[in-house]
Amino acid sequence: MNPAKIIIDTDPGQDDAVAILLALASPEDVEVLGITCVAGNVPLELTARNARIVCELAGFPQTKIFAGCDRPLGRTLVTAEHVHGKSGLDGPVLPEPTMPLQDTHAVDFIIDTLRAEPAGTVTLCPLGPLTNIAAALQKAPDIAERIKQIVLMGGAYFEVGNITPTAEFNIYVDPEAARIVFGAGAPLVVMPLDVTHKALVTTPRNDAFRALGNATGIAVAEMTDFFERFDLAKYGSEGAPLHDPCVTAYLIAPHLFSGRHINVEIECDSDLCRGMTVADWWGVTDRKPNALFIGDLDADHFFALLTDRLARLP
Ligand code: BDR
Ligand code: CA
């Protein structure tokens, strides 16, 4: 089978970085047409910098990287330096990037690519707030039916929230954008906290990254060392959750994941519950299903796949 053509929309972030590394290491499964950056974990200038650092670490300086929206559609940006550090990629010491950013705006790249490629062949992989994707759908509504699928990290049902008691960060930052994406009619696969909190980098798993001995494996282990302190302190969990790599792993090995095809709506208005993904997991409404909402993964095989693929990089 030909590799899936994907656009990664991202706000790196250590877990975004691992998701990108997994995709770049897997050319037989995915072809990365471009990486579009959005403001999220840290401001846009830093996410666009970090995406380039990650591509250079992977030995892929030819990757096309685009800067996109620097703030949510209608709100003030909320960032997550308390999780990811001041740079967004705290942990390893990595060189400043020298590869260029493309001139085109990320939103135009998404639109142009979906119009240029045959309909139903391009998958969007959002790993951050959904601002770029929603802005593209608003500017060019014709692209919705050309999207093969959107596989995104965001939301929660059983785990409820991480940035507020009822909201996951990516959805909370730009709920209006999320509402547009969830209502676009494109096939949607959602990796909520319910599954990503099961993708935990335990000490033996992180030791396995480090033991690869390549620069990538060591950098990933150091990113995790930094990133895990937040979840260890907050949840008492066994290690850092690799939220965003669930998206790229799903494209490579969908059989490792299971979920339900259900209706998911986004709460935008309530002060208490803004950004909540109201997921009809139990089928108690007659609202039409619009998403495959993932609930579980085979964590051991997920980490085996990831470690195996990271070993291929410099
Ligand atoms: C999501 O928010 C960010 O902090 C992570 O990169 C991930 O995309 C988890 O809530
Ligand atoms: Ca992210």
Side-chain angles (χ1 to χ4, degrees):
M1 223 170 51
N2 289 334
K5 294 179 193 176
I6 68 170
I7 296 174
I8 300 177
D9 187 73
T10 179
D11 63 336
Q14 292 88 349
D15 61 320
D16 303 70
V18 181
I20 293 167
L21 292 168
L22 176 58
L24 293 175
S26 307
E28 70 272 51
D29 298 305
V30 291
E31 178 188 353
V32 181
L33 301 178
I35 296 179
T36 52
C37 301
V38 68
N41 286 324
V42 284
L44 179 67
E45 199 184 322
L46 285 171
T47 63
R49 163 190 178 266
N50 296 346
R52 287 179 289 151
I53 289 177
V54 173
C55 287
E56 290 188 2
L57 172 67
F60 282 83
Q62 70 279 21
T63 309
K64 290 188 174 142
I65 302 189
F66 303 82
C69 299
D70 65 359
R71 71 194 73 168
L73 295 182
R75 296 182 186 274
T76 306
L77 178 66
V78 175
T79 53
E81 286 87 355
H82 61 294
V83 182
H84 300 275
K86 201 163 183 297
S87 75
L89 208 55
D90 280 20
V93 178
L94 296 168
E96 284 302 312
T98 57
M99 64 184 282
L101 263 182
Q102 302 294 309
D103 292 334
T104 309
H105 192 280
V107 169
D108 293 319
F109 172 72
I110 293 168
I111 295 169
D112 295 346
T113 305
L114 284 163
R115 285 178 174 165
E117 296 289 340
T121 62
V122 176
T123 295
L124 302 181
C125 300
L127 310 177
L130 289 159
T131 319
N132 284 342
I133 311 296
L137 286 162
Q138 279 186 321
K139 190 170 175 186
D142 59 288
I143 62 171
E145 60 183 34
R146 302 185 66 83
I147 300 170
K148 180 177 182 190
Q149 60 177 344
I150 301 173
V151 184
L152 67 87
M153 190 281 138
Y157 179 66
F158 293 98
E159 293 286 295
V160 198
N162 57 0
I163 185 78
T164 75
T166 58
E168 180 280 327
F169 178 78
N170 289 342
I171 306 294
Y172 177 79
V173 172
D174 199 344
E176 285 77 17
R179 184 178 270 179
I180 289 169
V181 172
F182 278 70
L188 197 57
V189 180
V190 179
M191 295 291 164
L193 297 178
D194 307 340
V195 63
T196 69
H197 279 174
K198 294 173 183 164
L200 296 178
V201 190
T202 58
T203 304
R205 288 170 178 162
N206 210 29
D207 289 345
F209 294 147
R210 196 176 275 108
L212 290 174
N214 56 357
T216 305
I218 292 166
V220 166
E222 289 175 356
M223 285 182 209
T224 307
D225 285 340
F226 181 86
F227 181 43
E228 71 172 9
R229 84 212 181 292
F230 175 78
D231 289 86
L232 258 52
K234 182 171 174 186
Y235 298 105
S237 52
E238 284 178 277
L242 285 188
H243 303 287
D244 296 338
C246 289
V247 168
T248 42
Y250 178 82
L251 294 170
I252 298 167
H255 58 277
L256 298 182
F257 297 84
S258 58
R260 294 186 182 183
H261 194 229
I262 60 170
N263 177 271
V264 183
E265 305 290 334
I266 311 296
E267 175 58 50
C268 292
D269 306 318
S270 154
D271 282 341
L272 264 181
C273 300
R274 181 173 307 127
M276 186 173 193
T277 42
V278 181
D280 190 6
W281 183 262
W282 300 111
V284 295
T285 74
D286 57 6
R287 294 197 283 260
K288 205 168 146 223
N290 59 347
L292 175 60
F293 200 78
I294 302 295
D296 208 354
L297 90 166
D298 176 343
D300 284 338
H301 283 99
F302 167 85
F303 278 97
L305 170 75
L306 182 55
T307 309
D308 182 55
R309 296 295 167 98
L310 293 179
R312 298 173 169 183
L313 297 175

